[in-house]
Structure formats: C-alpha cells, structure tokens
Amino acid sequence: MKRTHHHQENGGYSGEASYSMENTTGNGLDLGKAEMMCWEEDNFLEQQQDTGEDELLAVVGYNVKNVDLADVAQKMEQLEMMMNSSVHQEDGFLSDAVHYNPSNMSSWLESMLSEAELTLPPNFDTSCLAAAGLINYNEPFQSSSSIDDNLFIVPPTAESSTTINFPNPINPQIYNTGGDEEEEQQLNPPISDYDLSVIPVNEPIRPVVLIDSSQENGIRLVHTLMACAEAIQQDNPKLAESLVKQISLLAVSQAGAMKKVATYFAEALARRVYGLYPQPSYDSSFSDILQIHFYETCPHLKFAHFTANQAILDSLVDSNRVHIIDFSMKQGIQWPALMQALAMRPNGPPKFRLTGVGPPQPDNTDALQQVGWKLAQFAENLHIEFEYRGFVANSLADLDSAMFDIRPNETVVVNSVFELHQLLAIPGAIEKVLRSIKEMKPKIVTIVEQEANHNGPIFLDRFTEALHYYSTLFDSLEGYGYSLSPLNGQDLIMSEMYFGRQICNVVACEGVDRVERHECLDQWRNRMKSAGFSLSHLGSNTFRQVNSLLSVFDGGSGYKVEENNGCLLLGWHTRPLVASSAWQICDSNIKSEVN
Amino acid sequence: MMKKQRSSSIGSETELSNLNEDMLFEILKHVDAPTLAKASCVNKKWKKTSNDERLWEIICTRHWVNIGCPEAQVRSVVLAFGGFRLLHSLYLRPVLKATAQSQNKSSTIPTKWGKDEVHLSLSLLSIRYYEMMDCNYKGRQK
C-alpha cells in the first residue's frame, strides 16, 4: 500500500524499511480502504505488462516475482526485527556469512534468515496467523461489510498498537474461545493451506487490523497449539520445536482449565517433537488408583456403571444363573450395586459367577484375586452364591471364548467400560474379540466408550478433536469437581492426571502404542452391526435413574444425559462425552427379547 | 442435671424426660424424620431410643411405593450395609431433595418416594459399603 507513496515520492527503493507495514492506531481501517483502492489500481496497471515480475523493483535492479511479494515483505520484516535485536550483540550475524546475490530478493532473504537461525522472535505476533485464515483469495476486494465469517476484527482501542502482517503459510483454524470455555463453538472446518505461487496476480491482498483484546493470550495459545500441530502434520520439526517453546510460555500465563489443558497438550506435543515417546504404560496399579479418584470426581464412571447394570438387570429377569465377563474389572466397583439389585429381586438372587479380565501387575501382586475376595465378602452379606475367576491378559485379543468355561444354562453377560477402543491399535484385534464374544452367546453385551473421534488417519484432525474434547472435560472438572468436594484437591489432581495420560497417548504416540483410539457412537454402531449384533434399547427407567443420579451428585451444574436412538449419552452442556449402549446377538434363530 | 434442678419446680417436663423407653419408642414411631433426628439430640436415653433402626425403617419405608420387594429382603440388605438411619441421611433424603428440585417442585421432601429413588439410594449405600471395606482382605474369615 505504501508503494503508492513511493511512486510519487522517491521512486528509488531504499531497502527493507519501505516495506514495513506498520500502521498507527485509529486510522487503520480507513487508511486500509484508501490504500486498497490504490493497490487495486497498481495491479490493474501491472496486468498490462504481465511479465510475472514486479516492474518497479525491476527498474532498480531487484528481481522479485509478483507472486512472491507478500512472502518477501514478511521476510523483510522478520529480518528487520532480527537485525534490530542483534544490534547489541558482538557477533553480528552479518559479519562472516556469505549471502546470495541480493538482486534475487527472495533467495537472499532466505539465506539471511536461515544464516541467523531464525527462531520466531518473542513478540512474534500471532495475529498474522489469524490473518492467514482471513484472506480470501478467491474474492475480489469488497467492502468490509461482506467480510468472511472467520474474520476476527475488534474495533481499535486507544491503548493498543496494531500491526498489519502479510499472511504466513501456516494456516490454523480460528477459535472463538477466549476465556469462555463453556460456550466453545464448533470448530471451523480446516481451511486448506494456500500456496503463494497459485495466487492470481490481479487479486488484491486485503490487509487486516487485529487488535489485542483481553482474551488475547488465550486465543494466541490456541492458535499456537494448532500451528504446532500443523507444523508436525507438515513434517516441519524446526517450526514445531519453536512453537512448542512458545506454547509453554503462553500456557504459564493462563489460569484454570485452559492452563491445565494447554500444559498437558504442550507436553504431549513436546514429546512428539523431540521423539520422547512415553513408554507403554504397564503400570496398571497406578492407573487403577487414578481411576478411583476419577470415580469420585466425575460422574462418567457412575453413569457407565448404572446404565450398564440396568441393562444387565433387565436382561436377567428370568435367569437363575448368571455369568458376567468383565473386560474392565479394575477395582470391581461396578458390581456391588448390581449384586444388591439382584438380591432384591422378588424371586431372590441368581447364582452369580464373575470372571474379571485385567492387565498384568508390575509388582506381581494379584490385584484381580484381591478384588475377587472383596466381592466375595460383599456377596456373602447379601447371601448370594458367588463364584469368581480372574484372568490376566496383556490384551483382550489374547483371550478366546474357550478360556471362559461357559457352562450350559448360565446366562452370559459381557461388560466393557472404556476398554474396547484399545483394541483398535492392532489390526484385526477388535474383529477377533467380537467373534469370541459371539461364540460365548451372551444375552447382552454392555459397552461404554468415550464419545469422541480420536482415531482419524490425519494427525491434525485427531489433535483438533482431542483439544476440543479434553478442554470440555477439564472445564467439567472445574465446574463439577470443585463444587462436589472443594477440600479434596487430591481427587481432582488425580483425575486431571488420568486425563493427562490419555492426552499424551493420543498426541504423542503412534502405532501399537497409541491405545487411546476413541471413536464415536455411530462408528461403534456400525462396527457392532457388521459383527452381527443388534442394539438393545436402554429403557426409560434407566434414563430416569441416571438423571436422578446426576441430580444428586451434580446439583445443577452442567452434566446432562440424553437419549440417542436407544443409547444414552452423558454430556457436559452441549458436548457429549460418554456413550453407553447395550447389544445382543442378531440371530434369527434366537428370539430377541422385547424390552 | 438440669432435670434434677428443675424437677422440684416444673412437674410436666420431668415426666416427659423420664418417659419409659417403650412409651418413647411408641411415640417416636409416628414422628417425621427431622423430629426423630432432633429427638436423638435430647439426652443419652433418647439418643439410644431414637437411633433404633426399626424407627428409621419406618421413616424410610412409610412412604415407599411398592418397590417390588418383600420387607424382610429389604431389611436384610439395608442392615447389612449400614442401616436405615444411614440410608436416610446419606442418600434417601438428598436423592429425593434433588429429584424434587430438578422437577421444579418445592424443596420439601415429597410424600411419595418412587421406585427409582429408592433403588438409587440402595445402590449408593451398597457402593459406599464396598468402598469402605478393607482392601487387604485376603481370606474368608468364617
């Protein structure tokens, strides 16, 4: 824009200063418009020549392609900042280096910048990242009233300074999070990266004024997180590294849920960038402890257990012998409530056989057996005939139906809470397990899973989904956990760690190690259907009971249960978090139970 | 001690506080939960009588709709896991209060207690018992 002035004023080109685009406050928008008109005129003139190179610069001896102009301008600015900052240093980077012929502007700048080992300067204005999403190269210049929905413009305030930057190739998504996590909008679909070389010459570049606001740091943080993920996606480790450092700095300045989420994501990104992949966690006793605290602070597990138990209870109406196979045994906290409900059946409780499956313990204690004893004692209080067996397995895929010793005349129930998604890390595993389940001919299969798609093929998509999901989760911890037990900070911290480990796995791991492969309810529906199961609708009494449960523990803070085609979803405000469903074998020979 | 000081002056109060245990028990059968709770704060004798599980069972079951289960069964379950007094204070009362609030009724406890609330309370009671059981239980004690 300032080029118009140069036409008239000095006609000569005086290095990088003339391309500095600093604009003072207050007249930003107005000036922008006026200058834009001139710019348009310029391009109109240039069209006539159509040599692909900037005419004016060529006159004074610099060859700059039109398509590179924006890039060049930005690099100039960076270079200027670099030079200013290195003024006081003894070893000026200009001293010994050999640089390319400055007449080839782009490559000369490139060499200068890479020589100086450019890292983004501390005051690198991420507004340029925001601006990246705002430039729409397919539209000719229009008045500001028809600006893209993505545009983030705040009226200028007196005390802030503005910088207009040309867009940077990194193209993150725009979030309107600010500090108000609970009303996070849906993410905008990713805008495809633009390649400067395909920009038609006669399209004007619309400058944008971005003013600092009070939520600036939060937005910057999100932008930087996204930019880092994008850099990783594009295999740009150097940029990713510098951005990771940025994130850590920005995260410190945040507070509350945002800070915690950002810290965990920052650590996960750092692990990925530096190749410090966390060891697959065989320390299941620790994760058991974390889960106990998680049980206390969040209703997720309670929701899971209550819905599953109700479905199981409904399916056991006519049974005298039940054999429950639990893939998610852990501390066995799901089963006391079921046993108590069975004890209160009018015709008395059935014979209760429980087979628990769990991972190996690092310290050779038999945790499964201990849980078994505890449940046995509990069952004794209820005068229920109880039988228990524990199976230790590294993966559910190692089991087969013969191991479970299914006896005739017993009603088989299979239960899995937050376990099946781990099988998706190994090809063919989930199919094998579902086949084994079918062979056991269960009356009902209860499945509870996280409601999120953290298993997409593209890293950036997974990252975005995870960021959204875990932000909501941490929000719910803030809102719910504190009101529940304000003095019990330990439970809260443990719950956060519980989620933190998941975040680390989703972001930093790949292949077999990435076990937190959450998928959405619809994906599980399809999978179960193609494996030969049909949905068994969860009844309305289940819905009512869970609502009562939530109202006791929740006290009106954000958790909601909603019904979704026979399944139940637990969500925080508008975002579903956990999905619970029940399945039976779809077989025309077996009369299906009508609920 | 207060009673002894007063016994010479006000006759009617003495009679009430020296009430026969059985008589007290019969009277307390008919009071509501808050009154029963207050009664346990009067003195040791009253506390012993008021904490009787049978009285709290009456409080709990008085307004239960038919929960589809014989009384004896309910009794054995509840007594095994902590008793009716505990059930009421920890779970029945909060559950009902929360349900009433969520349905935008007045915050006083409704007179009819539905199946769902009862079953929920019983489940929570049993979970609590399980959580508080000794984790290192290794062998059958009998």
Side-chain angles (χ1 to χ4, degrees):
Chain A
M1 286 168 291
K2 291 229 159 110
R3 294 179 68 248
T4 45
H5 296 164
H6 285 296
H7 284 187
Q8 294 135 20
E9 286 165 21
N10 47 10
Y13 179 74
S14 54
E16 61 271 10
S18 59
Y19 262 88
S20 149
M21 300 297 286
E22 282 186 2
N23 222 341
T24 52
T25 318
N27 57 0
L29 286 172
D30 295 340
L31 191 59
K33 259 195 200 173
E35 293 179 343
M36 241 136 14
M37 302 297 237
C38 304
W39 185 259
E40 209 175 10
E41 274 176 52
D42 275 350
N43 287 326
F44 180 71
L45 290 171
E46 275 168 28
Q47 268 176 17
Q48 323 248 312
Q49 271 85 21
D50 197 26
T51 56
E53 278 190 4
D54 189 273
E55 283 293 294
L56 295 167
L57 290 176
V59 160
V60 292
Y62 292 93
N63 305 324
V64 184
K65 289 206 166 75
N66 283 322
V67 297
D68 289 341
L69 274 173
D71 198 29
V72 162
Q74 198 230 349
K75 283 178 181 161
M76 293 268 193
E77 216 184 321
Q78 284 177 353
L79 191 58
E80 186 183 28
M81 281 193 275
M82 283 291 312
M83 288 173 75
N84 286 336
S85 63
S86 71
V87 151
H88 302 292
Q89 293 170 14
E90 288 180 16
D91 300 329
F93 67 90
L94 296 169
S95 49
D96 296 328
V98 172
H99 299 286
Y100 293 123
N101 179 2
S103 68
N104 187 345
M105 186 75 72
S106 309
S107 38
W108 176 74
L109 278 172
E110 196 81 62
S111 69
M112 293 281 272
L113 290 173
S114 55
E115 257 324 300
E117 284 177 44
L118 178 73
T119 57
L120 295 172
N123 59 347
F124 176 67
D125 199 336
T126 51
S127 58
C128 74
L129 300 177
L134 307 173
I135 306 296
N136 187 339
Y137 281 92
N138 294 323
E139 284 175 24
F141 170 71
Q142 291 166 8
S143 66
S144 55
S145 58
S146 61
I147 285 173
D148 247 58
D149 288 343
N150 291 344
L151 201 59
F152 181 87
I153 284 189
V154 174
T157 57
E159 64 270 15
S160 58
S161 65
T162 71
T163 310
I164 302 174
N165 283 303
F166 279 118
N168 180 292
I170 296 167
N171 203 347
Q173 302 169 25
I174 309 304
Y175 290 81
N176 191 17
T177 55
D180 196 357
E181 297 284 350
E182 291 183 356
E183 276 153 349
E184 249 176 274
Q185 296 170 358
Q186 285 299 318
L187 297 179
N188 298 321
I191 307 159
S192 57
D193 288 348
Y194 64 83
D195 185 356
L196 277 172
S197 60
V198 302
I199 299 164
V201 173
N202 53 357
E203 300 285 39
I205 296 171
R206 185 172 49 194
V208 166
V209 173
L210 192 72
I211 316 269
D212 293 345
S213 69
S214 59
Q215 300 159 344
E216 173 215 350
N217 266 349
I219 296 169
R220 276 192 187 185
L221 183 54
V222 174
H223 285 178
T224 321
L225 280 166
M226 292 307 304
C228 188
E230 172 111 15
I232 292 174
Q233 175 77 42
Q234 293 176 332
D235 234 355
N236 188 345
K238 269 197 161 183
L239 181 57
E241 234 183 274
S242 56
L243 285 170
V244 160
K245 290 171 192 159
Q246 277 260 297
I247 295 169
S248 316
L249 287 171
L250 287 168
V252 167
S253 66
Q254 290 298 295
M258 189 64 209
K259 176 177 186 170
K260 293 169 190 172
V261 172
T263 311
Y264 280 116
F265 272 94
E267 186 203 328
L269 282 168
R271 282 184 179 273
R272 196 177 177 110
V273 164
Y274 293 115
L276 299 167
Y277 300 110
Q279 294 304 311
S281 161
Y282 289 130
D283 195 356
S284 51
S285 57
F286 183 56
S287 54
D288 278 0
I289 294 170
L290 290 182
Q291 200 175 50
I292 293 171
H293 291 275
F294 170 51
Y295 184 84
E296 297 300 326
T297 48
C298 292
H300 300 206
L301 279 178
K302 295 186 185 93
F303 166 81
H305 293 168
F306 270 82
T307 49
N309 283 346
Q310 194 59 46
I312 295 172
L313 204 57
D314 289 341
S315 74
L316 292 180
V317 169
D318 301 322
S319 314
N320 287 324
R321 289 171 175 273
V322 59
H323 182 185
I324 298 184
I325 296 166
D326 187 7
F327 289 155
S328 38
M329 195 62 191
K330 300 285 186 331
Q331 297 296 310
I333 210 164
Q334 178 172 354
W335 307 117
L338 180 66
M339 283 200 266
Q340 172 264 309
L342 286 171
M344 304 212 6
R345 284 198 320 184
N347 46 339
K351 294 189 177 30
F352 195 91
R353 188 177 161 212
L354 182 60
T355 302
V357 179
Q361 298 292 312
D363 53 350
N364 287 331
T365 55
D366 198 346
L368 277 177
Q369 210 52 36
Q370 283 182 358
V371 169
W373 282 122
K374 200 170 162 186
L375 285 169
Q377 189 193 14
F378 184 88
E380 211 175 332
N381 286 326
L382 289 170
H383 310 291
I384 295 180
E385 222 178 288
F386 182 78
E387 193 184 328
Y388 178 83
R389 189 165 173 197
F391 267 113
V392 169
N394 273 325
S395 159
L396 293 174
D398 297 339
L399 305 166
D400 65 62
S401 55
M403 290 179 188
F404 292 111
D405 184 29
I406 309 291
R407 296 171 197 158
N409 296 330
E410 61 181 15
T411 310
V412 179
V413 171
V414 178
N415 180 76
S416 161
V417 175
F418 300 142
E419 285 294 325
L420 286 187
H421 61 262
Q422 299 186 19
L423 292 168
L424 300 174
I426 307 166
I430 185 72
E431 288 84 4
K432 178 174 183 237
V433 170
L434 289 176
R435 263 200 312 274
S436 307
I437 293 176
K438 268 182 92 176
E439 283 167 19
M440 298 190 248
K441 295 196 177 52
K443 184 88 179 285
I444 195 149
V445 181
T446 48
I447 295 177
V448 182
E449 284 289 328
Q450 290 93 340
E451 177 67 5
N453 188 357
H454 296 155
N455 197 22
I458 301 172
F459 170 75
L460 187 59
D461 294 339
R462 291 203 301 272
F463 183 87
T464 314
E465 262 284 313
L467 190 58
H468 199 204
Y469 183 79
Y470 287 102
S471 300
T472 313
L473 262 179
F474 274 78
D475 267 347
S476 70
L477 278 179
E478 290 276 300
Y480 175 85
Y482 277 130
S483 66
L484 194 59
S485 49
L487 302 176
N488 202 344
Q490 193 198 12
D491 269 346
L492 205 58
I493 292 169
M494 296 293 221
S495 305
E496 288 164 9
M497 284 179 72
Y498 179 79
F499 292 131
R501 288 171 129 215
Q502 289 181 7
I503 291 172
C504 209
N505 192 278
V506 174
V507 173
C509 297
E510 279 304 330
V512 185
D513 293 335
R514 178 158 63 88
V515 292
E516 298 293 343
R517 295 184 181 245
H518 311 148
E519 287 197 347
C520 289
L521 180 60
D522 289 332
Q523 289 168 291
W524 285 110
R525 274 193 224 261
N526 288 337
R527 193 170 276 120
M528 294 301 282
K529 281 192 184 135
S530 50
F533 290 92
S534 67
L535 187 67
S536 172
H537 284 229
L538 296 172
S540 57
N541 56 343
T542 313
F543 183 74
R544 274 198 314 268
Q545 258 215 352
V546 177
N547 263 322
S548 296
L549 174 71
L550 278 186
S551 58
V552 172
F553 287 101
D554 195 20
S557 61
Y559 278 109
K560 305 232 178 330
V561 179
E562 66 176 40
E563 195 261 354
N564 180 322
N565 288 332
C567 305
L568 286 180
L569 290 170
L570 174 73
W572 174 260
H573 291 125
T574 54
R575 164 82 213 219
L577 296 173
V578 179
S580 173
S581 57
W583 301 87
Q584 57 203 20
I585 295 186
C586 180
D587 191 339
S588 51
N589 293 336
I590 298 175
K591 285 184 188 166
S592 57
E593 198 80 15
V594 176
N595 278 359
Chain B
M1 285 183 293
M2 282 280 274
K3 289 172 288 181
K4 280 180 186 168
Q5 282 166 11
R6 284 194 183 176
S7 61
S8 52
S9 48
I10 308 166
S12 57
E13 284 189 17
T14 324
E15 285 172 25
L16 195 60
S17 55
N18 281 341
L19 208 53
N20 184 305
E21 262 183 42
D22 294 330
M23 199 56 140
L24 181 60
F25 187 84
E26 287 302 315
I27 294 171
L28 289 178
K29 269 187 188 173
H30 303 279
V31 302
D32 63 2
T35 311
L36 188 57
K38 285 176 200 168
S40 71
C41 302
V42 171
N43 61 26
K44 279 186 197 166
K45 198 166 80 176
W46 278 50
K47 184 175 178 186
K48 186 166 161 246
T49 312
S50 314
N51 285 352
D52 194 313
E53 278 295 317
R54 292 169 292 174
L55 287 172
W56 283 100
E57 183 180 349
I58 293 169
I59 299 271
C60 289
T61 60
R62 181 183 290 149
H63 299 298
W64 275 354
V65 296
N66 181 19
I67 56 168
C69 180
E71 267 183 33
Q73 238 171 320
V74 176
R75 192 178 297 133
S76 67
V77 169
V78 175
L79 289 178
F81 295 142
F84 284 95
R85 193 165 142 263
L86 206 62
L87 175 69
H88 185 272
S89 67
L90 284 182
Y91 300 114
L92 268 180
R93 203 165 155 273
V95 165
L96 291 164
K97 206 167 168 186
T99 316
Q101 271 173 353
S102 66
Q103 290 168 1
N104 290 324
K105 292 178 190 163
S106 67
S107 61
T108 57
I109 297 170
T111 48
K112 276 284 180 223
W113 300 358
K115 219 168 156 178
D116 288 337
E117 286 91 7
V118 171
H119 282 295
L120 179 62
S121 305
L122 291 170
S123 299
L124 293 172
L125 184 75
S126 47
I127 292 171
R128 177 181 175 274
Y129 180 82
Y130 180 76
E131 279 179 324
M132 290 175 67
M133 274 171 70
D134 182 9
C135 294
N136 293 323
Y137 184 79
K138 283 218 174 358
R140 294 170 74 92
Q141 282 176 346
K142 281 189 180 173

